[in-house]
C-alpha cells in the first residue's frame, strides 16, 4: 500500500511543509519569518499573519517539487501543539480544510514528540529504550521512549528553556535575535573558563535556567561600570563561559537520567541541538560511557515539517486519526497522548 502524507508545522515563527511517502521524506520546505528580527523576539500576531500568507503556496510548491497532485495524498498531518495559539490555528485550519476537501484523514502531531521522532528519519535509527534531551527555544525536556511512539517525560525546566537562556543572554550582550547561534559562534574563539557564573540547582531530572541569566545580567552591569566597553572587548570569553555553564547543566542531567534508567541509546533534539559545543560534549561523553549517540542533521534539529511527517507516518500505521472537532493546544506536554476516540 502507498502512504503519501502532507505534513505541516506552524507552531512558532517557521512555516514548514514536508511530504513523506511510505516513511521516506520526499522534501522538507521551510519559510523562515524574518519580520521578527526587528523586534528582538517573535511577535505572535505577526507570526500568524505570515503563516497565513505563506502556507498555501508552500504546500503547492512541495507537491509540485515531488511530482504529486493533491489527489495523491492519503492523509494530512499538522502540529497540534505546543506553540503559539494563533500560529497553530493557521496550520490546523489549513490541514482541516485539506482533509475535508480531499476526504482524507487528519493526523495531529505533538511538536515535542516530533522533535524526538526526527531521529527516526535517517537509515540508522536509535535502539530502544531511547533517551532524548529536547532543547529548544521553548522547551528543555528529558524524554524516555521505551517503545516506539511511547514517550515518558522524565524531567523538564521549571522556568526558562535553555534556548531562551541563550537568546536572552545574547540580547543582554547586545547580539541580535535569535542569539543562540551567535553565542555558539563567539564561544568557539573564547576561553570557557574565563568567567564564573552562578547557577541554580534543581533536584532530580528537572532544570532551571533563570539563575544563570540573572548572574549574567549582574556580571555585565558590574563590569561595565568599572570598564566601559568591557563586554565588547571580551565577547568571545563571556560567550564561551556562559555557554559552558548552560551545557554543563544539560550534560549533568542527561548523564543522571542515562544512569538512573540504564539507557545507552541517547540523542539530542530541538534547535539547541545545533550547538557545536553540545555536539562535541556529547561525542566525548559517548566515548567515555559507551553510549550510542544520535544527533540529527541540522535541517532536522530546528523546527521543520519532516519531523511532523515521520511522526504522522507512524500514527497513520496505527490508525491514529483525529476527529474534525479537534483543536490546537498551546501547551501540550511531551507525554500527552491524544485519544483518537475523543478527536
Ligand atoms: O527548536 P527550535 O528551532 O524552535 C523552538 O521550538 O523553540 O529552537 C530554536 C532555539 C532558539 O532559542 C535558538 O537560539 C536556538 O534554538 N539555537 C541555538 C543554536 N541554534 C539554534 N542555540 C545555541 N547554539 C546554536 N547553534
Ligand atoms: Zn521546536
Amino acid at each position: 500500500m502507498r502512504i503519501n502524507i502532507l505534513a505541516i508545522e506552524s507552531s512558532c515563527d517557521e512555516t514548514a511543509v514536508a511530504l513523506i511517502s511510505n516513511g521516506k521524506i520526499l522534501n522538507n520546505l521551510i519559510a523562515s519569518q524574518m519580520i521578527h528580527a526587528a523586534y528582538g523576539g517573535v511577535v505572535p500576531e505577526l507570526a500568524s499573519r505570515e503563516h497565513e500568507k505563506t502556507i498555501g503556496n508552500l504546500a503547492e510548491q512541495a507537491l509540485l517539487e515531488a511530482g504529486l497532485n493533491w489527489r495523491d495524498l492519503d492523509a494530512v498531518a499538522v502540529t497540534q501543539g505546543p506553540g503559539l495559539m494563533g500560529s497553530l490555528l493557521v496550520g490546523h485550519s489549513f490541514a482541516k480544510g485539506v482533509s475535508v476537501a480531499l476526504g482524507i484523514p487528519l493526523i495531529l502531531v505533538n511538536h515535542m514528540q516530533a522533535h524526538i521522532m526526527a531521529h527516526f528519519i535517517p537509515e540508522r535509527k536509535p535502539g530502544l529504550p531511547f533517551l532524548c534531551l529536547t532543547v529548544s527555544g521553548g522547551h528543555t525536556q528529558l524524554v524516555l521512549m521505551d517503545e516506539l511512539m511511547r514517550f515518558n517525560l522524565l524531567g523538564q525546566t521549571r522556568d526558562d528553556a535553555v534556548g531562551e537562556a541563550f537568546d536572552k543572554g545574547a540580547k543582554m550582550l547586545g547580539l541580535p535575535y535569535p542569539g543562540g547561534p551567535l553565542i555558539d559562534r563567539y564561544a568557539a574563539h573564547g576561553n570557557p573558563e574565563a568567567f564564573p557564573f552562578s547557577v541554580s540547582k534543581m533536584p532530580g531530572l528537572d532544570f532551571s535556567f533563570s539563575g544563570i541569566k540573572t548572574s549574567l545580567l549582574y556580571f555585565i552591569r558590574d563590569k561595565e561600570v568599572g570598564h566601559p566597553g568591557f563586554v565588547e572587548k571580551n565577547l568571545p570569553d563571556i560567550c564561551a563561559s556562559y555557554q559552558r555553564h548552560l551545557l554543563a547543566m544539560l550534560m549533568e542531567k542527561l548523564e543522571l537520567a542515562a544512569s538512573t534508567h540504564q539507557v545507552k541509546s541517547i540523542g539530542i533534539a530541538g534547535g539547541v541541538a545545533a550547538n557545536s559545543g553540545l555536539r562535541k560534549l556529547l561525542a566525548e561523553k559517548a566515548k567515555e560511557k559507551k553510549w550510542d549517540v544520535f544527533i540529527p542533521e541540522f535541517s532536522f534539529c530546528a523546527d521543520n515539517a519532516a519531523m511532523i511527517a515521520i511522526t504522522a507516518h507512524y500514527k497513520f500505521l496505527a490508525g491514529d486519526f483525529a476527529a474534525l472537532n479537534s483543536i490546537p493546544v498551546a501547551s501540550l506536554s511531551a507525554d500527552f497522548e491524544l485519544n483518537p476516540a475523543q478527536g
Side-chain angles (χ1 to χ4, degrees):
M1 187 184 67
R2 173 213 69 177
I3 314 168
N4 290 337
I5 305 172
L6 172 73
I8 291 153
E9 153 63 34
S10 72
S11 65
C12 192
D13 59 341
E14 240 95 41
T15 317
V17 172
L19 280 164
I20 187 166
S21 183
N22 295 331
K24 189 172 169 290
I25 299 293
L26 299 183
N27 54 23
N28 184 26
L29 307 186
I30 298 194
S32 294
Q33 302 179 353
M34 297 310 175
I35 196 164
H36 307 287
Y39 301 90
V42 177
V43 184
E45 181 56 28
L46 294 182
S48 320
R49 292 184 202 184
E50 289 295 303
H51 284 308
E52 225 176 345
K53 277 190 241 164
T54 316
I55 200 161
N57 289 338
L58 207 61
E60 290 274 6
Q61 191 187 333
L63 287 165
L64 197 70
E65 276 184 14
L68 294 178
N69 288 311
W70 288 101
R71 289 277 161 213
D72 295 323
L73 295 177
D74 301 294
V76 56
V78 67
T79 303
Q80 185 187 23
L84 301 170
M85 185 45 100
S87 293
L88 290 168
L89 263 172
V90 176
H92 199 264
S93 311
F94 182 82
K96 254 189 204 178
V98 172
S99 163
V100 173
L102 299 175
I104 56 175
L106 172 69
I107 300 174
L108 298 182
V109 173
N110 179 323
H111 181 93
M112 300 313 295
Q113 295 181 357
H115 267 303
I116 301 168
M117 289 306 292
H119 289 284
F120 291 81
I121 295 172
E123 278 297 305
R124 190 177 85 94
K125 298 180 186 2
L128 300 178
F130 175 54
L131 175 65
C132 190
L133 172 69
T134 313
V135 277
S136 72
H139 295 86
T140 306
Q141 300 185 333
L142 276 164
V143 174
L144 182 70
M145 184 155 64
D146 51 357
E147 271 178 32
L148 191 66
M149 293 286 286
R150 197 164 77 181
F151 305 86
N152 304 284
L153 183 62
L154 302 181
Q156 60 184 328
T157 182
R158 300 267 186 102
D159 39 56
D160 292 348
V162 66
E164 222 175 325
F166 267 104
D167 295 339
K168 287 182 180 165
K171 196 172 179 181
M172 289 180 218
L173 295 169
L175 301 172
Y177 178 86
L182 292 171
I183 292 202
D184 189 7
R185 218 176 300 158
Y186 279 106
H189 308 290
N191 172 11
E193 304 292 335
F195 305 111
F197 295 107
S198 57
V199 300
S200 11
K201 292 261 174 212
M202 277 291 132
L205 294 172
D206 280 348
F207 304 85
S208 165
F209 294 101
S210 59
I212 184 171
K213 221 178 51 191
T214 312
S215 175
L216 176 68
L217 182 71
Y218 290 157
F219 172 86
I220 295 171
R221 191 192 59 187
D222 295 348
K223 292 288 186 193
E224 282 287 333
V225 169
H227 310 88
F230 178 89
V231 166
E232 208 180 324
K233 272 183 231 134
N234 294 279
L235 201 51
D237 284 352
I238 301 172
C239 287
S241 303
Y242 185 63
Q243 176 169 296
R244 171 175 69 88
H245 284 81
L246 292 176
L247 300 186
M249 284 192 269
L250 294 177
M251 291 304 295
E252 182 200 327
K253 299 291 174 155
L254 181 62
E255 213 178 319
L256 179 62
S259 62
T260 308
H261 294 272
Q262 300 188 343
V263 187
K264 292 280 183 196
S265 172
I266 290 170
I268 51 173
V272 182
N275 184 273
S276 50
L278 180 59
R279 287 170 173 245
K280 195 164 154 258
L281 281 178
L282 195 63
E284 286 166 9
K285 191 55 75 183
K287 260 194 193 152
E288 179 196 325
K289 299 271 176 191
K290 304 215 168 5
W291 287 349
D292 196 9
V293 158
F294 297 85
I295 304 177
E297 65 175 71
F298 284 105
S299 57
F300 299 143
C301 278
D303 287 351
N304 66 85
M307 68 184 195
I308 306 300
I310 189 76
T311 315
H313 174 76
Y314 288 106
K315 286 196 154 202
F316 187 100
L317 294 179
D320 188 353
F321 303 129
L324 280 180
N325 62 356
S326 65
I327 50 166
V329 185
S331 63
L332 196 59
S333 172
D335 53 0
F336 178 84
E337 288 307 332
L338 184 76
N339 179 349
Q342 291 171 348

